[in-house]
Amino acid sequence: MQVHAYGAHAADKPLEHLHITRRATGAHDVQIDIAYCGICHSDLHQIRSEWAGTQYPCVPGHEIVGRVAAVGAHVSKFKVGDVVGVGCIVDSCQSCPDCDEGLENYCDNMVGTYNGKTDDAPGWTMGGYSQQIVVHERYVLNIRHPEADLAAVAPLLCAGITTYSPLRHWGAGPGKKVGVVGIGGLGHMGIKIAHAMGAHVVAFTTSDSKRADAKALGADEVVVSRNAEEMAAHAKSFDFILNTVAAPHDLDAFLALLKREGTMTLVGAPATPHPSPNVFNLILKRRSLAGSLIGGIPETQEMLDFCAEHGIVADIELIRADEINTAYERMLKGDVKYRFVIDNASLAA
Ligand code: NAP
Ligand code: ZN
């Protein structure tokens, strides 16, 4: 089946309208009419080939919400008409210890929603900047938010789970002081979720203009990280810092804010490495520097249900498909409050 999509033919080309083919709906597959798709900074990294291995044409998008249009004969979890989501994962080996634990995100054979190896033509996956997608039911999520919120739910499928998973893993909650660095798509979700978990949340931003917003999102305090005095006031005080910054920067400035045995987890994935942190910042206080990749399917469902229960959605700017290239430029400048979401109905226009 041919569907309208938006993607690029090369790293130095803008995204444009194109047609892609979706596989026939198999016995375990769910065919989804996509209503909305969020724009993640990873889409930009990959379409510009900032990480190795982008295949072209590349159709990004892994923050997908839509409605079930058809189901295969063996599908038990979904029926036609259900409102569902798809995040960053559309396949995995389903038999390794990671998959057995519901940590498909760490499976060595995890298949990303776009640019992942697949038997479907042309040999790599195509993402959510498209009218429809066909996905094995294991990787499809139930959406329990009100229908009116659907566009703002889309970013939960990546920005939501990528912040929820490390916040849970490192125990964000009452009595814990948690920092969130970088107030973009991921960071603004991190603030909302950490606040809902009951932590004391401090937002770190390079943008003075985001101070008031960060408070409104749920931060108890806001620090402009370019201001050394403001940073020093928080020395050795954090249990956990979630770093979402999409560019290389000085990690030591944040490691020095962790208390003994505190952890800073990197989720931002810049195209080039950070300068090496100073080893003494780690050994003197037995601190940890860690990383985290999205989240597994069961935890993604847990996150969606947590957000539905707490009334959490993303703050979004809804755009048409022909505004995607402009949205990328604005995202690079930090000029988005706080996630662009594509109205996929505009793909056919
Ligand atoms: P985004 O919306 O562009 O937000 C990134 C934020 O980082 C910006 O809003 C800005 O916040 C800050 N920032 C940007 N450049 C900076 C610089 N040079 N120095 C300091 N701060 C800077 O991006 P996103 O969609 O949230 O994604 C963030 C990163 O996470 C990307 O690298 C993305 O690929 C990665 N990611 C990783 C995973 C994972 O599983 N680990 C999943 C999704 C995305 P302020 O204005 O507040 O400073
Ligand atoms: Zn993403």
Side-chain angles (χ1 to χ4, degrees):
M1 166 187 47
Q2 281 240 318
V3 301
H4 295 281
Y6 229 77
H9 288 284
D12 58 354
K13 292 274 187 328
L15 288 87
E16 59 182 88
H17 177 268
L18 39 88
H19 289 101
I20 60 171
T21 304
R22 292 301 186 191
R23 69 170 182 248
T25 306
H28 295 278
D29 283 341
V30 180
Q31 182 190 326
I32 300 162
D33 285 333
I34 303 177
Y36 302 104
C37 182
I39 294 183
C40 178
H41 205 114
S42 303
D43 301 351
L44 188 155
H45 288 309
Q46 290 199 58
I47 210 148
R48 298 194 176 172
S49 208
E50 293 177 359
W51 302 340
T54 304
Q55 306 263 26
Y56 297 93
C58 174
V59 173
H62 57 207
E63 294 185 336
I64 297 167
V65 294
R67 199 174 287 281
V68 175
V71 295
H74 296 309
V75 168
S76 56
K77 276 168 62 189
F78 303 98
K79 59 180 190 318
V80 171
D82 285 354
V83 176
V84 295
V86 176
C88 305
I89 309 172
V90 291
D91 207 357
S92 63
C93 81
Q94 306 186 13
S95 60
C96 71
D98 295 319
C99 287
D100 286 349
E101 283 186 59
L103 294 170
E104 300 90 344
N105 49 322
Y106 296 115
C107 170
D108 287 339
N109 295 307
M110 187 261 272
V111 178
T113 304
Y114 59 90
N115 201 37
K117 198 173 172 325
T118 174
D119 291 338
D120 303 344
W124 57 93
T125 52
M126 303 272 187
Y129 299 6
S130 60
Q131 286 179 306
Q132 280 199 344
I133 193 165
V134 177
V135 181
H136 187 290
E137 67 168 332
R138 176 176 177 143
Y139 309 94
V140 180
L141 289 310
N142 282 298
I143 305 287
R144 302 197 165 96
H145 284 76
E147 289 252 1
D149 285 347
L150 284 193
V153 167
L156 301 183
L157 276 304
C158 175
I161 184 60
T162 301
T163 51
Y164 181 92
S165 181
L167 286 166
R168 270 276 182 263
H169 184 78
W170 278 279
K176 294 289 171 68
K177 184 172 174 183
V178 169
V180 178
V181 188
I183 313 306
L186 266 56
H188 97 290
M189 288 311 310
I191 294 174
K192 290 186 186 212
I193 291 170
H195 173 74
M197 288 174 174
H200 180 89
V201 183
V202 182
F204 292 91
T205 179
T206 56
S207 314
D208 206 32
S209 61
K210 292 183 186 171
R211 262 187 209 277
D213 282 6
K215 283 266 175 74
L217 291 166
D220 297 286
E221 300 177 66
V222 186
V223 171
V224 172
S225 53
R226 298 189 199 280
N227 183 327
E229 258 174 51
E230 277 185 61
M231 291 288 278
H234 289 273
K236 302 176 198 169
S237 67
F238 282 88
D239 296 282
F240 181 64
I241 297 178
L242 181 65
N243 188 327
T244 76
V245 173
H249 62 282
D250 174 22
L251 301 180
D252 285 312
F254 297 103
L255 288 171
L257 306 187
L258 293 172
K259 65 188 196 191
R260 197 192 71 221
E261 280 137 37
T263 298
M264 176 159 79
T265 294
L266 306 179
V267 289
T272 52
H274 298 291
S276 282
N278 184 335
V279 172
F280 287 93
N281 269 330
L282 297 171
I283 63 181
L284 287 177
K285 293 275 175 203
R286 195 153 62 181
R287 294 165 172 138
S288 300
L289 178 61
S292 184
L293 177 71
I294 44 175
I297 298 299
E299 193 173 43
T300 304
Q301 188 63 61
E302 178 189 309
M303 175 279 306
L304 285 167
D305 295 346
F306 176 91
C307 288
E309 190 185 316
H310 288 85
I312 295 174
V313 294
D315 288 18
I316 66 156
E317 202 176 311
L318 193 64
I319 61 165
R320 296 186 315 269
D322 61 9
E323 296 173 301
I324 294 172
N325 290 301
T326 316
Y328 277 23
E329 293 312 317
R330 285 185 50 201
M331 181 164 62
L332 272 178
K333 287 188 247 156
D335 175 25
V336 47
K337 295 193 168 177
Y338 277 88
R339 199 60 142 180
F340 289 112
V341 173
I342 302 161
D343 179 353
N344 286 45
S346 67
L347 284 163

